[in-house]
Amino acid sequence: MAGRGGCRRGREQLELERLGEAARAGSCPPSPPLSACSRQAWSRDNPGFEPEEEGGAAAAATAAGPVLEMDVEWGSPAAGASSSLGSGAAGQGGGGRRQQQQQRRLPAGRGVAEGLSRHQVPADGAAPHRAAWAKRLARRLRGLWGTRLMEESNTSRERYLKSVLRELVTCMVFLVVLCVLTYGTVSSSMYYYTRVMSQLFLETPVSKMEKTDFKTLSTMDDFWKFTEGPLLDGLYWEMWYNNKTMAENKSFIYYENLLLGVPRIRQLKVRNGSCSIPEDLKDEIKDCYDVYSVANEDTAPFGLRNGTAWTYTNEKDLNGSSHWGLIATYSGAGYYQDLSRTREVTAVQIASLKKNLWLDRGTRAAFIDFSVYNANINLFCVVRLLVEFPATGGLVTSWQFQPVRLIHYISTFDFFLAACEMAFCLFVLYYMVEEILEIHIHRLHYFRSLWNCLDILIIVLSVVAIGISIYRTSTVDTLLKKLLEDQNSFPNFEPLAYWQMQFNNIAAVTVFFVWIKLFKFVNFNRTMSQLSTTMSRCVKDVIGFAIMFFIIFLAYAQLAYLVFGTQIDDFSTFQDCIFTQFRIILGDFNFTEVEEANRILGPIYFTTFVFFMFFILLNMFLAIINDTYSEVKSDMAQQKAEMELSDLIRKGYNKAMIKLKLKKTTVDDISESLRQGGGKLNFDELRQDLKGKGHTDAEIEAIFTKYDQDGDQELTEHEHQQMRDDLEKEREDLDLDRSSLPRPLSSRSFPRSLDDSEEDEDEDSGHSSRRRGSSSSGVSYEEFQVLMRRVDRMEHSIGSIVSKIDAVIVKLEAMERAKLKRRDVLGRLLDGVTEDERLGRDNEIHREQMERLVREELERWESDDTASQMSHRLGTPLGLNGQPRSRNSRPSSSQSDGIDGGGGNGGNNIHV
């Protein structure tokens, strides 16, 4: 102890001399918080800890939330004065310490000015101060983007989790904003809007005598019946149900949906001779029209050869775009006819097209396009009805009803969405800067993480969505202006609807990936990380299984396509075969169709596919996942327990509850437990009581060990009173610090604010004595804070050690109970042997059985004792009475028999 005290006094003298020399020389090198002597002593007393480097301490002080900063420049005369003041205060009482604190903690707004005026610092000293201020500002701005990838490798676990928690909160807010934006643009009204429009045009019969509707059209004649019947009836609502005329030249479908402009009907054709005819059939077949392709497209005038319906118009002039149909992909060009705003004129136009054979053998697709607007729900509906005429004959129908919201910022909720859009843009900018900083730090290693690539993908998708939204908003105004100028023209909302659908798709994918990103933070929980660890470990096995699975799967798909593709719709294409087989695995299949298509190969295909894919391969996949999960779970059970994100949140919650006086501190809970215990409190009782109130083993062990001075594992009234006195003194010091520091300062910083210090001292009042001792002996705050952090680390590690010791104690208690049970059994067996001898019974067989059981029990006891010696080498276990005993020793035969009152006879029988 004397050596350590001398080392400490020598360290203090060296620190004061170093500070004085630095002040006289005008330089500002950061002094290390501890001398080499103290570091050696620390390492000797705590072999499990590494001495903290100055860089790590500075980094921790920089990022530790709200901080108190000292406005002292080491290179200025003020620093020398401050250091001399600190050395002088070492020999003074509490008043000198308070004066030192007041002199050292100058207000932020006037600290530099008062220092310059008091010590006559030259005017040129303002330039270094401005440079330091700029560095501090840059450091603070960079702190806004502080993430775990920007932390240093030697960062403490708690600080690392704080960075993770800040990322998690930011991601959650971003997710909420994104969900509000996406869900705010979609409502159930869109579904009902689509349903009523589709019922009107798709499910209305072509006539009262026929049940054919648009979905079941089969011939060109059916197409003309549809255009002359349900199409005209659905487009033009000119009369009310009481035959009262509606507004002139305006059609409100369902009396609510305004028909915008006029509808358009367009067709695409292929030229004659686009396919080759066999020589043997050329005399019989004169015309040949190939399947549709852009190369085979017919562009020559036909029929009446006047007007747009009979002459070809290219895609650029029509401002059209390609469309993906069921049979082919069609261009935006063709022959088109704009209909009228009145039913009578439109009927005449359709009759003229039908009469002059507008549709012929070369027609491959006919489009019917129109748009409506519902002011009640502020929605446009862009409708496209497509009729495809394949080269095989007949026709195939398809349709698109796209409800879109093209006019924004009308209602109050729309303006709220506008604010969310601005917040979304700010978040995207924030994440862009964050990723740029991380890429700058880690270079190409940044892209090795899948989570980092996911962050980049989310940013790219967000930027694309913003660009589409800007284009959509700017274009819709121009289109509506043109529509209002000429209401007899066709308003082409198809490009806007297309980009709106793309925007919805991108927004949906972005929301999905942002939700997936939450796993990045959930993985810091020990339980939740089992999923990601399991998936990462079984990747190789799953890839090998997938190769084997898809070889068999594709073989069956090819077989099904060749055998059933010509007769079953679900197997008509190779892609359909793949999806159908996945449905079979999930139990959705139609065995009757397969059997009817091929009475021999159908049942064979179905039976073997279900057997191999469902009963063998699928169970192999589940076995791989189960085995890997078991390994991961066992490995995690053996890993060292670390502070988790939930522990950090729980710690912050407890601090907030204590600060709001909604929850008692550890000392208050101990006081209550002590009053209930009648003046004394056993450690086991205290631990059970405080653990039930939410305190950790580390906190309980730290406080109990500090104030249990006699080491009797009991906390007396006198020891508890000392704890209360230390806490009251600490609170007085904190009140004084709060009154002398009205606001944070600017240059040197402490890792904790006053509120945080008060909360920490409430949890562990052992810091109070160290703090007063450090101040009275002249220890600088830099050294004091470094020691505080190291003590916190030591207490955290001690807590984990205590938890392990508790586990060992529980195991030892279980072993003792088992041994007592065995002794009881042996005692009863030996009593039976003794009773036989006393009564003169000569049952040799019974005696041999008893002796054999005794020997087996003793051998089992020795093997269990050896195993316990190998597995519990942390310390010497305690016996029943709390006395230490050797691990490889076992009780004598007299002791084992004495438990049951057997006496010396039991010992003799054991010897036998």
Side-chain angles (χ1 to χ4, degrees), residues 789-815:
R789 288 193 299 273
R790 292 182 175 177
V791 169
D792 290 340
R793 291 169 55 191
M794 181 178 67
E795 290 176 352
H796 178 69
S797 299
I798 289 176
S800 63
I801 294 174
V802 170
S803 301
K804 293 180 180 179
I805 293 176
D806 290 341
V808 173
I809 291 174
V810 172
K811 294 181 180 179
L812 291 177
E813 291 176 352
M815 293 174 58

Side-chain angles (χ1 to χ4, degrees), residues 368-480:
I368 301 173
D369 298 312
F370 59 93
S371 303
V372 295
Y373 173 70
N374 190 311
N376 301 331
I377 55 179
N378 188 26
L379 284 178
F380 291 81
C381 186
V382 182
V383 181
R384 168 165 285 182
L385 306 178
L386 172 61
V387 179
E388 298 178 74
F389 300 89
T392 58
L395 55 86
V396 179
T397 58
S398 59
W399 52 88
Q400 279 188 353
F401 293 87
Q402 304 179 47
V404 292
R405 191 186 305 274
L406 299 178
I407 301 178
H408 300 274
Y409 317 125
I410 296 178
S411 63
T412 304
F413 183 72
D414 291 339
F415 287 103
F416 170 71
L417 291 180
C420 292
E421 289 176 355
M422 296 177 62
F424 176 76
C425 295
L426 292 177
F427 269 109
V428 173
L429 180 62
Y430 172 85
Y431 279 120
M432 289 178 64
V433 176
E434 177 182 295
E435 302 308 319
I436 290 174
L437 292 175
E438 292 179 354
I439 293 174
H440 176 74
I441 294 174
H442 297 279
R443 305 293 179 181
L444 295 179
H445 294 279
Y446 171 86
F447 297 97
R448 293 185 178 180
S449 173
L450 182 62
W451 295 117
N452 296 336
C453 296
L454 180 62
D455 292 338
I456 296 295
L457 179 60
I458 291 174
I459 292 176
V460 172
L461 292 175
S462 301
V463 172
V464 173
I466 293 173
I468 293 177
S469 180
I470 294 174
Y471 168 78
R472 178 195 59 191
T473 305
S474 60
T475 306
V476 70
D477 294 335
T478 305
L479 190 59
L480 289 177

Side-chain angles (χ1 to χ4, degrees), residues 55-270:
T62 302
V67 296
L68 299 174
E69 300 180 351
M70 297 174 56
D71 199 355
V72 178
E73 298 291 341
W74 295 107
S76 63
S82 178
S83 63
S84 63
L85 180 62
S87 62
Q92 297 177 3
R97 180 170 54 83
R98 294 187 180 92
Q99 181 181 5
Q100 177 187 2
Q101 293 176 351
Q102 295 174 358
Q103 291 289 340
R104 190 177 289 175
R105 300 167 182 163
L106 299 176
R110 55 189 180 130
V112 178
E114 290 183 3
L116 293 175
S117 62
R118 187 180 300 126
H119 301 287
Q120 290 86 25
V121 177
D124 56 354
H129 175 70
R130 286 195 297 269
W133 180 84
K135 291 181 179 179
R136 288 195 298 271
L137 179 61
R139 185 171 62 249
R140 300 244 176 202
L141 290 176
R142 184 176 179 179
L144 294 175
W145 286 273
T147 63
R148 56 192 180 90
L149 292 181
M150 298 181 189
E151 298 289 349
E152 298 182 0
S153 58
N154 57 352
T155 304
S156 64
R157 176 71 177 179
E158 183 173 358
R159 182 182 170 189
Y160 181 78
L161 289 178
K162 286 182 178 179
S163 299
V164 174
L165 182 60
R166 179 169 56 181
E167 287 187 76
L168 175 60
V169 172
T170 306
C171 182
M172 290 294 294
V173 176
F174 176 67
L175 178 60
V176 170
V177 172
L178 185 57
C179 289
V180 170
L181 283 177
T182 52
Y183 296 149
T185 57
V186 180
S187 65
S188 59
S189 300
M190 292 185 172
Y191 165 73
Y192 294 114
Y193 198 12
T194 302
R195 191 179 72 173
V196 297
M197 295 298 292
S198 62
Q199 287 177 348
L200 178 62
F201 291 98
L202 303 181
E203 299 179 8
T204 303
V206 295
S207 66
K208 296 181 179 180
M209 304 300 295
E210 301 181 38
K211 296 183 179 180
T212 304
D213 55 18
F214 182 82
K215 295 180 179 180
T216 58
L217 298 180
S218 59
T219 63
M220 288 186 180
D221 185 49
D222 292 339
F223 172 80
W224 289 116
K225 289 180 180 179
F226 169 77
T227 56
E228 293 174 340
L231 180 62
L232 290 180
D233 295 338
L235 288 176
Y236 302 101
W237 292 56
E238 298 176 350
M239 303 289 291
W240 283 93
Y241 53 85
N242 60 354
N243 296 326
K244 184 177 180 181
T245 306
M246 298 180 62
E248 186 178 359
N249 292 332
K250 289 184 179 179
S251 174
F252 286 88
I253 301 175
Y254 283 117
Y255 310 112
E256 301 291 347
N257 305 281
L258 174 63
L259 178 63
L260 300 176
V262 297
R264 171 177 290 179
I265 182 171
R266 175 173 63 94
Q267 73 158 323
L268 287 170
K269 303 178 62 177
V270 295

